[in-house]
Amino acid sequence: MGVAAAVVDQFRQVAREQDKPLVALNPDTVLLESGLDSLCFAIIVARLEDQLGIDPFTTSEDVYFPVTLGDFIKFYEDAAGSKAA
Amino acid sequence: MPPVQRLPDSGRPETLHDAIAGSDAVLCGRGAELRLSERGHAPDGLAGAGVLLRTRSQLAAALGLIALDGVARRIVIASPDLKPEHLPSVIDRAEIDAVLGEDETLAVDGTQFIRLDLQRTEVCHPLLREAHRKEEAVSAGEAAPVGGERKLKPEGLKKTEWVLFTSGTTGEPKMVAHTLEGLTGAIQPGAAADTVWGTFYDIRRYGGLQILLRALLGHASLILSDADEDVADFLARLGRHGVTHLTGTPSHWRRALMSPANAALAPRYVRLSGEIADQAILDSLKSRFPEAAIGHAYASTEAGVGFEVTDGLEGFPAEYVGRRASKTMGAVEMKVEDGRLHLRSSRTASGYVGGGPLLHNDGWVDTGDMVEKRGGRLYFMGRAGGIINVGGLKINPEEVEAVINRQPGVRASRVSGRRSPITGAIVVADVVLTDAAGGNATFRDSILAACREVLPPFKVPAMLRFVPSLALTAGGKLSRHA
């Protein structure tokens, strides 16, 4: 599974578990308007760390937090890329 | 706005009412405002009473505090998460005479209820205590304006005791008593006249109360959030009011940085406390608000405000420990014992209400926070005793373990915190199944469903792992550092 698919998959799964209504996801979806709360994001980040072996929030030199789903996926893709390199 | 009156160096205001005299600042909630120059009437029927402030909004709590300080014997500030089943015991232990709130749904059976009218910024009160009934009869029952003559405080009445709940974990919530003097001890007088405070905290907890008092004493306005207001709306409101000083936990700030609505903010001062501030969040804030002074503060409900770090680095300089109380450091002394940070200062709470001593060994308070020295700096390593801090909310692992352990098929469990760059920590569980249940993954769903039924979402394990066994300590207890 690619990074983007893994991210979207976790968004859906955590929304279901936490009983949160998830909006239709697209790259421009603002994370905080997706229907998920901070706890959901914390869970998503931990699960992606286990699944992909990366946690760009902790390891990234980038000091900007992702705002949209597109940013979020790119954040992970960049981290996965630099890990593979 | 007129220039801020500097506080006299000789001491702190006697009461909150004295502190805000002459202030035309405004406390802003969502859709409601409290203008301090028009604040209302003191509930003189409450002179000398023990009062539980149980409000729906933060604004109402602020009004209650201003009206009651210097009047009531004791104000117990109900935290927003105080469970109704704990109320009878709170009322009993804290010797509460009356409950104050916006409407009757906040009343508690068997205790006098008094309505706070936010529209009229006053406390509507019937007569309360026998002792004051006579007095009121003489003065025709008219409430005296707070700003007018004050003969509300009976001779010999001690200063009002302020009681806060610890951001508690399990069982009966602990009530921690403070004085206004102790609570305001860390506040530097003389903020700039155009200061507008904003906070992500709730003023009914220690961290938020500090900000309310800073604003009130500095005659500065304060923007408060509403319980069901979403992040973007609150950020937009902070921007509209031109907030200059903004405070929250690292988790609050991470959430704010993830919202496009943070574009509306240009604070001069950014403050973090309530959780460990790591280097990543400090760097992110510096990058987003390059003009702002950024400080992370250490405080706890019991120990009061400890210190603030403003050099942009996580942790704090090791030389803070062992230093004598001084003017620059304030009246705070620190020491580390068994890796635990201890604090001693005039700002520590005066004790627990209805049980347990707070102070040990000449006034030292054990904060329960673990620190580790690396180089010239001390770093926070989390809570002793395994307490998990999820976005500023504390969780006792035993509480979650108890729920898991009573599910069919479970032999034992260990709940712990896993570091999270979003909320500081999340709750995870290791579970040992009975031999009969072993290997049956359907138990995962039933265990988690049971947790969701009885625990708030932040206490439910975000991850649950089945393990063959759990390590025990030499003493036969579950090992928490395995």
Side-chain angles (χ1 to χ4, degrees):
Chain A
M1 197 189 293
V3 170
V7 167
V8 170
D9 195 49
Q10 284 300 346
F11 270 58
R12 298 221 165 98
Q13 192 175 330
V14 171
R16 199 161 50 236
E17 284 174 18
Q18 299 292 317
D19 206 14
K20 300 279 182 195
L22 193 65
V23 300
L25 296 176
N26 66 62
D28 296 327
T29 302
V30 170
L31 295 171
L32 292 185
E33 292 165 5
S34 63
L36 302 178
D37 61 12
S38 288
L39 182 62
C40 293
F41 288 113
I43 297 170
I44 289 169
V45 169
R47 298 228 179 120
L48 286 172
E49 185 183 5
D50 290 352
Q51 192 181 342
L52 306 173
I54 47 173
D55 170 9
F57 284 90
T58 300
T59 53
S60 171
E61 296 289 308
D62 197 342
V63 291
Y64 295 98
F65 272 77
V67 170
T68 63
L69 178 61
D71 297 343
F72 190 92
I73 291 171
K74 184 163 185 311
F75 204 36
Y76 275 83
E77 284 173 341
D78 289 352
S82 64
K83 193 192 167 207
Chain B
M1 237 191 237
V4 167
Q5 296 176 355
R6 293 184 74 91
L7 300 175
D9 290 337
S10 53
R12 301 278 147 188
E14 283 275 299
T15 65
L16 207 48
H17 157 262
D18 295 341
I20 62 172
S23 172
D24 66 351
V26 182
L27 302 180
C28 305
R30 186 173 60 164
E33 287 188 352
L34 183 62
R35 194 164 283 280
L36 295 179
S37 56
E38 296 166 7
R39 73 195 177 281
H41 295 77
D44 53 355
L46 291 174
V51 180
L52 176 68
L53 200 49
R54 186 177 184 222
T55 62
R56 195 159 282 124
S57 74
Q58 298 194 64
L59 220 48
L63 172 64
L65 288 169
I66 293 166
L68 290 169
D69 182 55
V71 176
R73 167 175 52 83
R74 169 182 282 169
I75 313 169
V76 177
I77 306 165
S79 54
D81 57 351
L82 181 65
K83 292 182 185 153
E85 64 258 37
H86 288 137
L87 287 169
S89 137
V90 164
I91 283 174
D92 181 48
R93 284 187 291 153
E95 298 170 19
I96 295 299
D97 302 300
V99 177
L100 249 74
E102 293 103 316
D103 60 69
E104 279 70 13
T105 60
L106 296 157
V108 182
D109 279 350
T111 309
Q112 170 100 36
F113 179 78
I114 296 173
R115 195 164 60 84
L116 271 162
D117 189 342
L118 210 52
Q119 246 60 57
R120 298 168 60 204
T121 59
E122 69 182 41
V123 180
C124 309
H125 65 93
L127 298 181
L128 188 71
R129 304 194 92 197
E130 283 302 323
H132 292 281
R133 293 195 177 183
K134 286 180 213 152
E135 199 181 304
E136 293 229 339
V138 173
S139 64
E142 277 295 305
V146 172
E149 268 184 279
R150 289 165 54 81
K151 44 187 180 177
L152 304 177
K153 200 161 127 183
E155 286 301 312
L157 176 69
K158 287 204 292 189
K159 284 187 181 171
T160 300
E161 189 177 63
W162 293 49
V163 179
L164 291 158
F165 289 92
T166 55
S167 57
T169 49
T170 181
E172 292 284 326
K174 273 186 179 164
M175 288 181 276
V176 183
H178 285 271
T179 61
L180 185 62
E181 198 179 9
L183 288 169
T184 57
I187 300 175
Q188 300 293 323
D194 63 346
T195 298
V196 177
W197 284 94
T199 184
F200 297 109
Y201 296 121
D202 192 295
I203 61 164
R204 293 163 289 186
R205 294 200 182 91
Y206 188 88
L209 184 59
Q210 275 296 315
I211 305 309
L212 173 70
L213 293 172
R214 262 155 224 257
L216 292 178
L217 265 61
H219 293 189
S221 293
L222 169 64
I223 319 303
L224 295 167
S225 63
D226 193 81
D228 35 78
E229 183 173 28
D230 72 42
V231 184
D233 289 348
F234 183 51
L235 292 172
R237 205 153 58 79
L238 288 167
R240 271 203 307 281
H241 287 289
V243 70
T244 62
H245 290 47
L246 188 53
T247 73
T249 62
S251 292
H252 287 138
W253 278 112
R254 292 183 193 107
R255 202 176 52 183
L257 289 173
M258 286 171 72
S259 171
N262 80 50
L265 301 178
R268 296 198 301 262
Y269 176 60
V270 163
R271 187 174 194 261
L272 307 88
S273 69
E275 282 179 283
I276 299 170
D278 58 32
Q279 198 58 50
I281 185 63
L282 292 172
D283 290 349
S284 298
L285 286 168
K286 189 74 217 165
S287 164
R288 171 61 188 83
F289 303 117
E291 307 297 321
I294 297 170
H296 55 104
Y298 176 80
S300 80
T301 308
E302 281 97 341
V305 174
F307 54 86
E308 182 167 334
V309 181
T310 53
D311 61 8
L313 299 174
E314 63 181 323
F316 60 96
E319 66 260 25
Y320 283 13
V321 168
R323 201 141 83 175
R324 302 288 303 171
S326 70
K327 236 188 179 143
T328 45
M329 271 299 286
V332 178
E333 292 173 276
M334 289 188 276
K335 67 175 179 183
V336 179
E337 269 181 21
D338 301 328
R340 296 157 81 111
L341 183 67
H342 290 63
L343 243 66
R344 179 166 74 176
S345 88
S346 56
R347 305 169 201 158
T348 52
S350 34
Y352 289 117
V353 172
L358 172 73
L359 301 175
H360 304 281
N361 316 323
D362 307 324
W364 288 98
V365 175
D366 178 358
T367 65
D369 286 312
M370 306 294 291
V371 291
E372 189 178 280
K373 191 171 174 181
R374 292 199 295 273
R377 235 166 146 87
L378 284 159
Y379 297 89
F380 287 104
M381 304 305 293
R383 301 276 304 167
I387 302 282
I388 306 161
N389 187 340
V390 177
L393 299 163
K394 301 206 176 76
I395 298 146
N396 195 326
E398 283 91 341
E399 179 187 3
V400 183
E401 286 163 6
V403 176
I404 297 175
N405 291 349
R406 60 174 185 258
Q407 301 314 312
V410 174
R411 185 188 299 287
S413 64
R414 181 181 59 217
V415 166
S416 56
R418 167 169 169 171
R419 236 183 95 86
S420 165
I422 308 292
T423 54
I426 55 171
V427 174
V428 297
D430 287 335
V431 177
V432 182
L433 293 175
T434 59
D435 294 340
N440 192 339
T442 60
F443 280 99
R444 178 195 308 275
D445 295 338
S446 62
I447 293 168
L448 290 175
C451 290
R452 288 199 186 100
E453 206 163 290
V454 295
L455 298 168
F458 69 95
K459 293 186 180 180
V460 174
M463 285 155 150
L464 190 151
R465 197 167 62 149
F466 292 122
V467 294
S469 65
L470 292 168
L472 299 183
T473 64
K477 293 182 183 169
L478 195 60
S479 173
R480 298 228 169 254
H481 300 285

